[in-house]
Amino acid sequence: VHINDARSGRTTEEQVDNERALPAATGVIDAASFLSALRSAGYDGPLVAEPFLDLSYLASDEDRAKLIGDAGRKMLAA
């Protein structure tokens, strides 16, 4: 399952797939409910962050991996 968050300040109709935020970054998508639905459906596979953001402003791949990992942990904590 690919996970991300929606941009804040936009209606559902205004959301654009290639402008999604990191998981649990904005709170527009209810992470806790989403994960609960996955569990209820019996899903036990991988979760992959798919934010569609340009992270090139970060200095290294390690910095990008840390940012994405932190976002995933925040979502799982929800």
Side-chain angles (χ1 to χ4, degrees):
V1 171
H2 292 198
I3 54 173
N4 54 38
D5 207 342
R7 295 293 184 120
S8 58
R10 294 182 178 176
T11 66
T12 301
E13 293 78 24
E14 294 172 325
Q15 295 295 335
V16 178
D17 280 341
N18 65 351
E19 295 181 356
R20 294 301 180 112
L22 286 164
T26 64
V28 172
I29 295 176
D30 182 352
S33 294
F34 180 75
L35 291 175
S36 178
L38 287 176
R39 278 189 221 100
S40 293
Y43 183 78
D44 67 351
L47 299 173
V48 178
E50 187 178 43
F52 293 112
L53 291 177
D54 179 7
L55 300 178
S56 63
Y57 68 92
L58 294 168
S60 67
D61 287 342
E62 290 79 14
D63 290 340
R64 288 181 277 280
K66 181 179 181 327
L67 180 69
I68 293 168
D70 290 347
R73 282 185 285 283
K74 181 179 176 184
M75 182 176 184
L76 292 173

